[in-house]
Amino acid sequence: MSNEKIIIKTAEDIAGLRIAGRLASELLDYLTPFVKPGVTTAELDRLAHDYTVNVQECVPACLGYTPPGMTPYPATTCISVNHVVCHGIPSEKKLKHGDIVNIDVTSIKNGYHGDTSRMFVVGKPTIAGKRLARLAFETMWAGIDAVRPGGCFNDIGIACQAYADKNGISVVRDYGGHGIGKGFHEAPHVNHFPTNRPTAKFEPGMVFTVEPMVNAGRYGVTILGDGWTVVTRDRSLSAQWEHMVLVTETGYDILTVSKGMLPPPDFVKGWKMPENL
Ligand code: MF3
Ligand code: CO
Ligand code: CO
């Protein structure tokens, strides 16, 4: 277990994170009708940037984000197409029928981060693409539904890995979820596969992301020469969804909610769609 302290959020923090989470989810709602064959990912990024800054009056957290040893990230969104696992840099390349696309957005409102991502299947779907996008969604929810006070972070990894194994897909090991708040990437690092090392216990007031990346082939990844783009080593398809999760006294809540969000799969017992989104 890493010694870095997991911040327990105050009621005020949680209120701020709910607002930021909703705005990030609403940004994905806004982008959805534009995700069509022929659009470039750079155009989607421009739309995201303008909506974030001018309509939502938020700060795009990814633009210029520079983790240690990295070059500044050059865009508002990460748009990861087909065999791109994550951190896809928007470009002038056009989306085409059957592409599977992850759009990952992070916005800052009043100092709090909202971080969420969804899959989109462009135009006429392929069977394999549609299946992997759905399995990524279900793997995320299997992980989320393992959250309860008294449990521990390893429960997320166990649940995600079991779901992936059952369906013959693999879980990326080099990237994971993270605590989130006033910081973009806070402790802890959240693995989506099991570990033998001790992991922290869930406590009410913890907020973190669950964002498994799953591959149709093997779990290995490699980084392209731009220093950011992560692709599957075997160039198989990859998919990812992301929500922000709050540990409550009795279970968990989802902070990245909006009208356009997809309801959880039927197997989820711990959370229901709010009645008035
Ligand atoms: N939004 C990503 C996450 O879920 C992080 C992207 S960092 C960037 O943690 F610099 F690539 F934008
Ligand atoms: Co994240
Ligand atoms: Co994200």
Side-chain angles (χ1 to χ4, degrees):
M1 190 157 36
S2 133
N3 292 323
E4 242 187 302
K5 244 184 123 40
I6 302 174
I7 298 165
I8 303 297
K9 269 67 182 183
T10 64
E12 185 188 339
D13 292 334
I14 292 164
L17 285 164
R18 273 189 201 285
I19 291 168
R22 176 177 291 267
L23 285 162
S25 191
E26 287 175 349
L27 172 56
L28 293 178
D29 293 355
Y30 166 73
L31 292 172
T32 299
F34 297 102
V35 184
K36 290 196 299 211
V39 74
T40 68
T41 54
E43 179 61 18
L44 293 174
D45 190 72
R46 277 188 287 277
L47 289 163
H49 181 269
D50 293 353
Y51 194 77
T52 301
V53 173
N54 301 325
V55 179
Q56 298 187 312
E57 300 185 358
C58 292
V59 175
C62 294
L63 187 59
Y65 180 60
T66 315
M70 304 279 286
T71 54
Y73 187 75
T76 295
T77 57
C78 296
I79 306 187
S80 303
V81 183
N82 295 338
H83 64 285
V84 179
V85 173
C86 63
H87 305 165
I89 299 174
S91 77
E92 297 303 330
K93 209 173 143 181
K94 289 181 172 145
L95 295 181
K96 57 183 195 311
H97 284 280
D99 282 346
I100 63 166
V101 182
N102 172 275
I103 305 183
D104 191 341
V105 297
T106 311
S107 303
I108 308 170
K109 186 71 163 185
N110 301 323
Y112 292 103
H113 289 74
D115 185 6
T116 186
S117 81
R118 296 181 197 159
M119 291 304 293
F120 300 83
V121 185
V122 180
K124 184 178 159 34
T126 65
I127 302 278
K130 216 171 125 170
R131 174 177 186 268
L132 192 69
R134 173 180 57 84
L135 290 176
F137 181 69
E138 292 168 0
T139 302
M140 171 188 70
W141 272 106
I144 291 172
D145 211 41
V147 175
R148 52 177 185 86
C152 67
F153 279 87
N154 201 31
D155 298 345
I156 295 175
I158 292 168
C160 289
Q161 186 68 60
Y163 201 84
D165 285 348
K166 201 169 74 182
N167 291 284
I169 58 173
S170 59
V171 178
V172 169
R173 302 176 89 91
D174 291 6
Y175 297 87
H178 49 91
I180 186 163
K182 288 179 176 155
F184 189 167
H185 292 112
E186 297 182 350
H189 177 76
V190 180
N191 282 320
H192 302 103
F193 59 92
T195 170
N196 291 322
R197 301 178 185 280
T199 57
K201 258 174 108 169
F202 296 128
E203 288 174 43
M206 288 180 174
V207 178
F208 50 86
T209 67
V210 175
E211 50 176 308
M213 286 138 269
V214 298
N215 300 345
R218 299 176 67 105
Y219 65 69
V221 302
T222 184
I223 301 176
L224 298 186
D226 61 29
W228 276 104
T229 311
V230 180
V231 299
T232 53
R233 231 173 214 298
D234 61 10
R235 300 303 193 267
S236 64
L237 288 178
S238 187
Q240 176 182 31
W241 288 73
E242 174 176 23
H243 270 311
M244 285 165 60
V245 180
L246 163 72
V247 183
T248 64
E249 297 292 335
T250 53
Y252 65 89
D253 199 5
I254 303 295
L255 303 187
T256 33
V257 296
S258 64
K259 283 193 173 66
M261 76 184 292
L262 212 57
D266 287 341
F267 67 74
V268 168
K269 296 291 167 246
W271 193 79
K272 292 220 170 350
M273 288 278 276
E275 275 172 21
N276 31 8
L277 278 170

